């Protein structure tokens, strides 16, 4: 059977798709890049914005118009929240909430594998040089704009030994490993102890992580990073997205002291620079001030830092003053790029009940203004890096060029003939 895969959404979804691809390959299926050559399509869906679901519907309709009247299995976050609308799309064979490979295989009419799947059995998850390691799934928070908690459930962290073993396998093929998940800063909070460790007992080396978590024998993201760096020191790890105030002292120390092992890059969701809006978003664990303080403290101690953020423009009830507070915070911090999302209502999320909708014209104007600010900051950061040496990892190839990603998340494009063939090397930013 030839199977075409498509993934919407975040790196956690890419990781999930890779496991499903592996399950199909293990059962003898052939993965094809062209839907015209496929007997079945599997689409991993995303529910983060109205637009991501609209794109899903467009793709499924397009697949159904293929010559063979291709059938599609829709999996993932939007599938988990389907009220029948996805199932009713043309050509949809099954809607599978979540990303369990065995369930997707069964929906495709194939038998499920007898042993649990692991990404370790696969060479990789993204490009040859960058791999993904999903450390946890789900989230215990209930941000009022987000439907992820509904789609993905509560925080579930994988154990440190399992993740170390998977990182060691990934390191055979990848120079960089990106730690991904849905709320990675809460890694370990759902686990009382790691196997083989008693509460309060340390692994080799100095005390790690949050002392309260340590006293409970609990793992934390800092503790996991320490273990990964010891086990695979040749790899550069990168954090996919982490709340600024969840960058604890252990993580900060690693960013400062181990730049070859942990990339100087944080993607720290801000969402709003107005405390009034943050409160109504349900983001109770930080304020504009605590967010700013943590990032300024870190930026002052790092020679270079890639710093990104997600921002929602036009949350219900957002005033001009709220918007100006966000713009001022963006101005003040050394962001190197921004992801700006115009607010879109998600069915089941509480935000729409919390304030009057911002008129679409104003909402898009605010989004544009923030995007312009982000682009100006990105240009400034890039200009400041041109001519400097950086720690580069190859992240892709296109049109006769090699894309090399620096520790601070700047892409450098080298003509292929200038590339020495290694996956990681010192590159001059251009
Ligand atoms: S922290 Fe908030 S925005 Fe992030 S996944 Fe959890 S509920 Fe969604």
């Amino acid at each position: 059977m030839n199977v075409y895969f498509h993934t919407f959404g975040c790196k956690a979804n890419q990781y999930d798709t890779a496991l499903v691809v592996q399950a199909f390959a293990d059962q003898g299926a052939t993965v094809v890049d062209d839907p015209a050559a496929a007997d079945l399509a599997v689409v991993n869906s995303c529910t983060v914005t109205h637009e991501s679901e609209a794109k899903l519907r467009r793709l499924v309709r397009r697949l159904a118009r293929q010559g063979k009247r291709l059938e599609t299995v829709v999996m993932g976050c939007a599938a988990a929240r389907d009220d029948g609308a996805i199932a009713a799309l043309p050509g949809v064979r099954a809607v599978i909430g979540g990303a369990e490979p065995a369930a997707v295989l069964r929906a495709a009419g194939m038998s499920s594998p007898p042993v649990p799947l692991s990404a370790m059995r696969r060479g990789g998850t993204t490009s040859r040089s960058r791999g993904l390691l999903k450390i946890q799934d789900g989230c215990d928070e209930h941000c009022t704009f987000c439907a992820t908690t509904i789609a993905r459930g509560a925080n579930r962290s994988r154990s440190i030994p399992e993740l170390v073993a998977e990182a060691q396998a990934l390191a055979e093929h990848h120079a960089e490993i990106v730690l991904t998940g849905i709320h990675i800063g809460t890694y370990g909070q759902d686990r009382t102890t790691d196997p083989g460790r008693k509460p309060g007992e340390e692994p080799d080396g100095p005390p790690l992580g949050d002392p309260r978590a340590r006293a409970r024998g609990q793992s934390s993201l800092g503790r996991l990073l320490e273990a990964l760096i010891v086990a695979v020191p040749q790899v550069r790890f990168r954090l996919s997205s982490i709340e600024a105030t969840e960058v604890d002292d252990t993580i900060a120390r690693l960013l400062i002291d181990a730049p070859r092992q942990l990339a100087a890059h944080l993607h720290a969701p801000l969402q709003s620079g107005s405390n009034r809006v943050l409160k109504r978003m349900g983001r109770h664990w930080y304020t504009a001030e605590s967010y700013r303080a943590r990032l300024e403290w870190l930026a002052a101690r790092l020679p270079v830092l890639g710093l990104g953020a997600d921002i929602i423009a036009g949350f219900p009830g957002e005033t001009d003053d709220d918007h100006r507070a966000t713009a001022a915070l963006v101005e003040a911090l050394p962001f190197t790029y921004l992801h700006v999302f115009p607010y879109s209502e998600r069915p089941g999320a509480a935000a729409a009940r919390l304030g009057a909708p911002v008129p679409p014209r104003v909402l898009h104007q605010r989004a544009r203004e923030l995007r312009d600010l982000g682009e100006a900051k990105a240009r400034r950061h890039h200009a400041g890096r041109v001519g400097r040496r950086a720690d580069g990892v190859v992240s892709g190839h296109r049109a006769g060029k090699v894309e090399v990603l620096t520790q601070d998340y700047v892409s450098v494009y080298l003509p292929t003939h200038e590339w020495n063939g290694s996956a990681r090397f010192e590159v001059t930013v251009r």
Side-chain angles (χ1 to χ4, degrees):
M1 182 192 279
N2 288 350
V3 188
Y4 170 77
F5 288 88
H6 186 91
T7 307
F8 289 102
C10 61
K11 289 194 172 64
N13 255 21
Q14 289 171 26
Y15 181 95
D16 292 342
T17 301
L19 286 190
V20 175
V21 167
Q22 185 195 346
F24 274 76
D26 288 352
Q27 296 303 302
T30 304
V31 178
V32 292
D33 290 338
D34 180 3
D39 304 304
L40 178 80
V42 175
V43 178
N44 195 355
S45 62
C46 168
T47 187
V48 71
T49 61
H50 178 73
E51 183 54 23
S52 51
E53 291 192 6
K55 281 185 188 161
L56 166 71
R57 289 193 294 273
R58 284 200 291 273
L59 175 67
V60 171
R61 288 200 184 96
R62 209 166 53 239
L63 292 171
R65 288 198 298 270
Q66 292 290 322
K68 288 187 197 166
R69 303 177 78 80
L70 192 59
E71 284 193 323
T72 300
V73 175
V74 182
M75 57 178 282
C77 293
R81 295 163 25 81
D82 186 35
D83 57 3
I86 297 175
L89 289 170
V92 171
R93 178 188 172 108
V95 177
I96 305 293
E100 182 49 54
V104 185
L105 275 177
R106 278 195 301 276
M110 299 173 83
S111 60
S112 57
V115 288
L117 287 155
S118 159
M120 282 165 52
R121 296 169 57 216
R122 207 171 7 88
T125 41
T126 52
S127 60
R128 195 175 68 84
S129 304
R130 299 178 76 221
L132 297 178
L133 181 61
K134 191 166 95 175
I135 64 170
Q136 60 82 236
D137 205 336
C139 176
D140 290 337
E141 296 299 342
H142 298 277
C143 297
T144 55
F145 55 81
C146 181
T148 304
T149 319
I150 306 165
R152 288 215 179 235
N155 180 22
R156 301 174 310 282
S157 306
R158 299 173 65 197
S159 76
I160 289 182
E162 184 187 348
L163 289 166
V164 164
E166 187 166 327
Q168 283 167 330
L170 285 170
E172 289 173 19
H173 304 271
H174 299 285
E176 175 172 308
I177 297 176
V178 182
L179 301 194
T180 181
I182 302 302
H183 191 154
I184 67 170
T186 60
Y187 172 83
Q189 289 179 7
D190 57 313
R191 301 182 72 87
T192 45
T193 55
D194 278 318
R197 185 177 308 150
K198 297 188 189 76
E201 187 180 280
E202 293 298 341
D204 295 341
L208 308 173
D210 172 1
R212 284 162 309 177
R214 212 165 57 236
R216 292 194 295 271
Q218 207 172 47
S219 46
S220 67
L221 180 57
R223 189 185 277 265
L224 168 65
L225 276 168
E226 287 265 10
L228 290 172
I229 287 171
V230 168
V232 269
Q234 73 277 26
V235 156
R236 180 171 80 186
F237 289 95
R238 186 185 296 275
L239 299 171
S240 59
S241 173
I242 181 165
E243 302 289 338
T245 50
E246 289 171 355
V247 179
D248 67 12
D249 290 348
T250 305
I251 302 171
R253 177 167 56 76
L254 291 171
L255 282 165
I256 294 163
D257 294 344
R260 295 271 308 161
Q261 281 77 33
L262 183 58
H265 171 210
L266 293 173
H267 183 92
L270 169 63
Q271 310 305 7
S272 173
S274 155
N275 290 337
R276 206 182 68 90
V277 175
L278 286 175
K279 207 165 174 186
R280 283 182 308 116
M281 285 178 165
R283 295 179 67 83
H284 54 85
W285 57 93
Y286 68 100
T287 60
E289 292 75 24
S290 63
Y291 180 98
R292 178 174 178 166
R294 191 55 172 154
L295 294 180
E296 280 182 341
W297 184 91
L298 260 172
R301 284 158 181 80
L302 290 166
V304 63
L305 173 65
L307 182 59
D310 297 326
I311 298 181
I312 296 175
F315 188 79
E318 183 188 77
T319 62
D320 278 343
D321 282 351
D322 294 325
H323 170 66
R324 274 195 292 275
T326 302
L329 187 56
V330 168
E331 283 283 13
L333 280 168
F335 287 114
T336 58
Y337 66 93
L338 290 183
H339 292 165
V340 178
F341 301 91
Y343 171 77
S344 72
E345 189 182 328
R346 309 310 303 122
R353 299 192 294 275
L354 296 173
V358 173
R361 191 183 52 78
V362 177
L363 188 147
H364 288 288
Q365 191 197 322
R366 288 177 186 169
R368 198 165 46 244
E369 195 185 312
L370 292 168
R371 277 189 186 129
D372 288 348
L373 268 177
E375 281 162 20
K377 292 216 152 209
R379 281 195 300 273
R380 214 174 305 153
H381 179 70
H382 190 263
R385 295 287 281 148
V386 170
R388 304 276 176 96
R389 303 289 279 167
D391 177 16
V393 166
V394 173
S395 61
H397 304 258
R398 87 172 72 116
K401 297 217 166 150
V402 179
E403 182 179 2
V404 182
L405 202 60
T406 67
Q407 69 271 40
D408 53 323
Y409 211 54
V410 171
S411 288
V412 181
Y413 296 91
L414 287 184
T416 310
H417 66 265
E418 288 182 27
W419 178 42
N420 64 9
S422 29
R424 183 176 185 182
F425 54 96
E426 263 214 355
V427 67
T428 304
V429 179
R430 46 177 83 180

